Structure formats: structure tokens, C-alpha cells
């Protein structure tokens, strides 16, 4: 297909925009100490941060799926008059500064928190500054991405098929698992990938609610942040790892987001 | 009496008063032009839409009665529907589509598969079990929908424009098949159509809207 003519002025502006995004990323590639890469990646502190990041982000993505898919189904099919309010609340973390999310989690689940004080008094459970807190912060920030993607798929799916299943004797939960969920499967997979990528990059909410303790709660983004002033070269290496993971997620999702037309 | 409906369906200008009953072995054809609310009758009996007023009963069990707030959920009504747009599950193969209702009713997998195979043979699709609905012709899909409805041995069979999704070439074959299948069906059948040819070929009685 012949491409549409684009005015030269717009081309220049578009080029500037693309360069603005590409240049900082390329700079990391240029400055990374490639010769020391293997050595730096094998350091204990690096491996710890990488492992904690992978472990917490995978758990956060799975929890986001486990709780987010039913939430998306409810948002797509319920007719309660509070639906729009509920939807706004559920997706607020997407636009909230993550550090505010961390404060909110502390207020709810901290030792003096609305729920946290009882968890501590009654069960001696203290959530802040634990690896569980890292996962909670990641779920808080990442789940809305999955919910939005999956809710859209549920809304677009054919209600007629669900009705047919009902008339064939299927209970509402059977309809969900055998008809609605298979139809939304591509969106669920995309939502999990999106939630995982967002969890992996999570920084503000996690560092506020879980702190940055090496070997315990320090994830890759936290390590990068702390290393900038101490070991700039190592922070570049860790940044490179995160860039590679981001590119891998985009490549895996290319049919969904990168389809040119 | 297998099924009886006395009341009003639809809303506003589509509101319509109805009073009919269908006995076992009978095929009642409800005819009328497009937009006259024929499909609404099917959806009301199946439980996808509520009656406006009145009463819907099957085998003396009330399925829907707004005045007493009695309403039986679609999955608990002993009826089966062949929808106008068929609504076969695209992500399941033919045998999974046909056995779906049996499995939903708690029939063991092996028995459900055996009964579904028999139902498919009855509509002439014995070698189509592993095919996907999207790989079938309109006539073949129609047969799958029919097998899927009959396999659960419903008390009431609801057919919504059963020949509308079929191309002209296979229409005659389905029109031959349907009366044959219906004659061996023990329950009550309600057939909704705008085609008087369907009425002649299948119905024992008709009701114009």
C-alpha cells in the first residue's frame, strides 16, 4: 500500500520526538562497561536484586491475574449503580504517583495502619519492610493494567454465547470458566505480561512500603537508584538488564501493540 | 401440558399479549414478520428475558410469574434452544459443543461423549466430531446446533428461525431432516419462523402474531 504523504514539518517534529526517546536508551548501550559485564552481573548484590525482582514480580503478576480477572469480569458484567465509582477507584493506581501508593499502603497495612494494627496486635504480623510488602506494592500498582485490558475483552466478547451456555444448563461460574474466560484468553495473557512488566519496574510504592534492604526487599530498580551515586558503572549494567527485559516484553506482545496497521 | 404461556412480553411498542400452550409431541409454529417479537418469545421461555406480566409454566411448574416474583434461572429450565444465530462455541470442537449441556448437567465425560456421538450421527454428522464450528458450512453448523439441543433430552425444544442461517443449497436437506427429528422428539416444540414453508413442513399447529 502506498504510504500517505506526510508534510516535511511534521516529519521533523516526529523525528525529534523519536530521538528524544531513543537517545537516552542508546546512551546506556554506549556507556555500559561491556568488558566487565559478566563480572558485574555475577556479583552477589546484583544477583540478589535480580532474583528478588524476578521472584516478586512473577508472584505479583500471578496474584494480579488471580484477583484482577474476577474484578474485570465484575466490572464488565455487573449492573450496580456504583460501577463507575468502583472502576475509578480500581484504576486510580495507574495515574497515582507510585510514592503516594506506598504511603497509602503504609496507612492501611503499616503497624499503625487501619488494618495493619490489628494484624500486628492479634496475629503478630507486620507487613511493611518485608518481601511480602514488595509484592503488595507491585500488585497495587500493576493490577489495574491487567483489569483494564481484560475488562475491555469481556465487554467485547459475545454475550450470546454466554446466554446459550446458560440455556444449556451451565451455572454462572461454569459460563465464566468455559465460555467467557477462553474468549478473553489473549487479553488475559497480555494483561499478565503488562502487569509483570509494570511490577518489575515498580519503584516508588515498593521503596516507600517495603524499603530498600539488600538481599531482602531491594529490587533491581531500587538497586539502580542507590548505585547511581556509589557505583555508576554497575547501575548502568542493571539498567541495561531492565531495558532488555522491557524490550523482550514488547517483542512478545508485538502483535498486540506494535502492529503498524 | 408441557408448556403454557399466558401473559405479556416485550416493552413499549413491542409489548404483546400471548396465550398459548403446547402439549408433548406437538410442534407449534409462531409466525410473523421480522420485528414482530418472535425471538423475544423464545428468549422469554428460555429465561433470558423476563415476562412483563402473566405466567409461564412447564409441566405445572412455574418458570416465570412477575406478580409472585417466581423466576427460574435459564440453567434450571428443562428446555433447549436452537438460536437463530446458532451460537456454537467457536473455541470448542463439534463434540465438545454437543456434549457441553450434558457435562453442565453433571453427566460423566465418557457417557456425555457417547451420547453426543449418537446425537451427531442422528443429524448426519458422525465424522465431524473433531472439527471446529468455523470450519463447517452453514447447513453443517445448523445440524450441530440441533444435535446440541436434542442431546440433553429437553422437555421443550425452542427453534428460532431454524433455516435462516442455512444457505439455499442445504436448506432442502435440513427441511427434510427437521420433521424427521421432530417426529421422534417426545417433548413440546415451539418453532418461530417467518417462512410459511417451514410451517407446512414441520408444524402441527400455528399461531400468527
Amino acid at each position: 500500500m502506498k504510504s500517505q504523504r506526510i508534510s516535511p514539518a511534521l516529519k521533523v517534529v516526529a523525528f525529534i520526538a523519536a530521538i528524544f526517546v531513543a537517545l537516552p536508551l542508546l546512551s546506556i548501550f554506549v556507556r555500559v562497561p561491556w568488558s566487565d559485564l559478566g563480572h558485574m552481573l555475577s556479583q552477589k548484590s546484583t544477583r540478589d536484586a535480580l532474583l528478588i525482582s524476578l521472584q516478586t514480580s512473577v508472584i505479583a503478576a500471578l496474584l494480579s491475574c488471580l484477583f484482577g480477572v474476577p474484578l474485570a469480569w465484575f466490572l464488565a458484567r455487573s449492573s450496580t449503580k456504583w460501577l463507575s465509582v468502583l472502576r475509578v477507584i480500581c484504576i486510580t493506581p495507574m495515574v497515582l504517583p507510585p510514592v503516594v501508593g506506598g504511603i497509602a499502603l503504609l496507612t492501611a497495612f503499616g503497624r499503625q495502619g487501619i488494618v495493619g494494627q490489628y494484624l500486628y496486635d492479634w496475629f503478630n504480623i507486620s507487613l511493611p519492610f518485608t518481601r511480602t510488602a514488595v509484592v503488595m506494592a507491585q500488585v497495587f500498582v500493576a493490577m489495574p493494567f491487567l483489569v483494564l485490558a481484560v475488562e475491555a475483552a469481556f465487554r467485547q466478547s459475545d454475550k450470546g454465547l454466554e446466554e446459550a451456555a446458560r440455556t444449556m444448563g451451565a451455572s454462572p461460574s461454569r459460563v465464566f470458566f468455559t465460555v467467557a474466560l477462553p474468549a478473553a484468553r489473549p487479553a488475559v495473557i497480555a494483561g499478565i505480561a503488562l502487569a509483570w512488566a509494570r511490577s518489575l519496574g515498580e519503584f516508588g510504592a515498593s521503596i516507600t512500603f517495603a524499603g530498600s534492604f539488600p538481599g531482602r526487599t531491594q529490587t533491581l530498580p531500587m538497586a539502580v537508584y542507590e548505585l547511581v551515586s556509589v557505583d555508576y558503572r554497575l547501575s548502568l549494567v542493571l539498567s541495561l538488564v531492565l531495558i532488555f527485559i522491557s524490550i523482550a516484553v514488547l517483542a512478545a506482545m508485538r502483535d498486540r501493540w506494535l502492529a503498524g496497521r | 401440558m408441557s408448556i403454557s404461556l399466558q401473559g405479556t412480553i416485550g416493552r413499549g411498542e413491542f409489548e404483546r399479549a400471548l396465550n398459548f400452550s403446547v402439549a408433548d409431541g406437538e410442534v407449534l409454529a409462531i409466525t410473523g414478520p421480522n420485528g414482530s417479537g418472535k425471538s423475544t418469545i423464545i428468549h422469554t421461555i428460555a429465561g433470558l428475558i423476563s415476562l412483563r406480566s402473566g405466567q409461564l409454566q412447564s409441566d405445572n411448574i412455574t418458570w416465570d410469574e412477575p406478580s409472585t416474583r417466581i423466576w427460574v434461572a435459564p440453567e434450571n429450565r428443562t428446555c433447549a434452544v436452537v438460536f437463530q444465530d446458532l451460537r456454537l462455541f467457536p473455541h470448542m470442537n463439534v463434540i465438545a459443543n454437543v456434549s457441553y449441556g450434558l457435562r453442565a448437567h453433571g453427566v460423566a465425560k465418557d457417557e456425555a461423549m457417547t451420547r453426543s456421538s449418537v446425537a451427531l450421527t442422528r443429524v448426519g454428522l458422525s465424522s465431524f466430531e473433531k472439527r471446529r464450528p468455523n470450519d463447517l458450512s452453514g447447513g453443517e453448523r445448523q445440524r450441530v446446533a440441533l444435535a446440541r439441543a436434542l442431546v440433553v433430552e429437553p422437555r421443550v425444544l425452542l427453534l428460532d428461525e431454524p433455516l435462516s442461517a442455512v444457505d439455499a443449497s442445504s436448506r432442502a436437506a435440513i427441511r427434510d431432516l427437521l420433521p424427521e427429528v421432530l417426529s421422534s422428539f417426545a417433548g413440546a416444540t415451539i418453532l418461530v419462523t417467518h417462512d410459511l414453508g417451514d410451517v407446512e413442513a414441520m408444524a402441527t399447529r400455528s399461531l400468527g402474531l
Side-chain angles (χ1 to χ4, degrees):
Chain A
M1 196 173 77
K2 195 167 178 276
S3 69
Q4 208 182 336
R5 270 182 61 85
I6 300 166
S7 89
L10 283 182
K11 270 187 189 166
V12 171
V13 177
F15 183 71
I16 291 170
I19 286 293
F20 179 74
V21 176
L23 192 65
L25 297 176
L26 288 173
S27 304
I28 286 182
F29 279 85
V30 173
R31 285 291 162 86
V32 157
W34 292 100
S35 53
D36 291 342
L37 199 64
H39 168 68
M40 287 178 149
L41 281 175
S42 63
Q43 282 181 20
K44 188 177 180 306
S45 58
T46 313
R47 274 185 303 149
D48 280 352
L50 182 61
L51 278 177
I52 290 172
S53 267
L54 289 176
Q55 181 201 47
T56 54
S57 61
V58 167
I59 294 172
L62 294 178
L63 287 175
S64 296
C65 176
L66 193 66
F67 292 96
V69 170
L71 175 59
W73 178 243
F74 183 83
L75 291 174
R77 287 291 185 271
S78 169
S79 54
T80 167
K81 60 178 178 175
W82 297 104
L83 201 61
S84 51
V85 178
L86 183 67
R87 183 179 294 112
V88 168
I89 292 172
C90 291
I91 62 173
T92 296
M94 283 177 78
V95 288
L96 203 66
V99 63
V100 177
I103 298 281
L105 285 165
L106 265 181
T107 313
F109 300 110
R111 268 196 200 179
Q112 266 93 50
I114 289 172
V115 177
Q117 59 178 327
Y118 298 108
L119 286 176
Y120 188 65
D121 290 346
W122 295 350
F123 308 108
N124 204 24
I125 292 173
S126 175
L127 291 171
F129 310 111
T130 61
R131 208 170 287 181
T132 308
V134 178
V135 174
M136 287 171 75
Q138 290 174 346
V139 171
F140 181 83
V141 171
M143 191 165 65
F145 288 88
L146 178 135
V147 170
L148 270 197
V150 177
E151 189 204 345
F154 281 146
R155 282 183 176 280
Q156 285 162 12
S157 70
D158 184 355
K159 281 200 189 80
L161 296 178
E162 293 161 26
E163 289 178 350
R166 293 288 302 275
T167 65
M168 290 163 76
S171 63
S173 61
R174 193 180 188 94
V175 173
F176 172 74
F177 284 111
T178 58
V179 178
L181 200 52
R185 199 175 66 167
V188 173
I189 292 169
I192 291 173
L194 207 53
W196 177 68
R198 184 64 192 82
S199 297
L200 197 69
E202 218 301 300
F203 172 75
S206 316
I207 203 164
T208 313
F209 186 46
S212 176
F213 301 106
R216 226 172 83 208
T217 66
Q218 191 180 70
T219 59
L220 267 186
M222 294 181 202
V224 171
Y225 176 73
E226 294 201 347
L227 283 167
V228 168
S229 53
V230 186
D231 187 346
Y232 183 63
R233 281 154 46 93
L234 184 54
S235 78
L236 282 177
V237 170
L238 298 189
S239 300
L240 186 72
V241 172
L242 285 167
I243 291 174
F244 269 124
I245 294 172
S246 307
I247 291 173
V249 170
L250 281 176
M253 295 284 116
R254 65 188 180 281
D255 292 340
R256 201 173 171 82
W257 293 320
L258 297 187
R261 48 178 61 92
Chain B
M1 199 52 66
S2 190
I3 184 113
S4 68
L5 191 160
Q6 186 177 14
T8 54
I9 61 161
R11 281 169 195 282
E13 60 178 308
F14 298 107
E15 192 170 303
R16 188 170 289 279
L18 290 165
N19 185 359
F20 64 79
S21 53
V22 190
D24 285 345
E26 265 196 312
V27 180
L28 173 70
I30 298 176
T31 59
N34 288 333
S36 59
K38 300 189 300 293
S39 288
T40 308
I41 298 174
I42 297 282
H43 287 206
T44 304
I45 297 172
L48 301 174
I49 305 174
S50 295
L51 269 177
R52 289 279 284 157
S53 65
Q55 189 188 52
L56 169 69
Q57 278 196 330
S58 174
D59 294 330
N60 295 321
I61 297 167
T62 303
W63 280 357
D64 193 352
E65 191 174 48
S67 65
T68 56
R69 297 194 166 204
I70 292 175
W71 189 77
V72 175
E75 61 267 30
N76 296 324
R77 300 188 182 196
T78 48
C79 63
V81 192
V82 175
F83 289 94
Q84 185 172 6
D85 53 356
L86 304 181
R87 304 188 183 183
L88 300 178
F89 305 128
H91 59 288
M92 296 180 196
N93 62 21
V94 166
I95 191 89
N97 263 280
V98 176
S99 62
Y100 186 89
L102 292 171
R103 299 286 292 135
H105 282 106
V107 175
K109 194 173 183 185
D110 288 349
E111 191 193 335
M113 289 298 160
T114 310
R115 282 169 65 180
S116 301
S117 289
V118 172
L120 281 169
T121 306
R122 227 172 119 200
V123 297
L125 288 181
S126 53
S127 58
F128 287 69
E129 294 185 356
K130 300 286 176 216
R131 303 266 288 270
R132 294 271 172 152
N134 289 343
D135 300 331
L136 305 179
S137 72
E140 288 159 354
R141 280 200 287 269
Q142 186 72 48
R143 287 164 192 258
V144 175
L146 191 61
R148 188 171 82 159
L150 287 166
V151 76
V152 293
E153 296 175 358
R155 293 287 294 125
V156 181
L157 178 64
L158 305 167
L159 304 173
D160 191 355
E161 299 278 5
L163 292 166
S164 68
V166 179
D167 48 284
S169 57
S170 44
R171 183 166 297 213
I174 301 276
R175 211 176 240 168
D176 287 344
L177 172 75
L178 268 170
E180 185 191 317
V181 168
L182 292 180
S183 66
S184 59
F185 175 60
T189 303
I190 295 174
L191 159 71
V192 145
T193 182
H194 69 279
D195 187 337
L196 293 177
D198 293 353
V199 181
E200 215 165 282
M202 291 172 252
T204 54
R205 211 150 52 86
S206 73
L207 172 75
L209 288 181

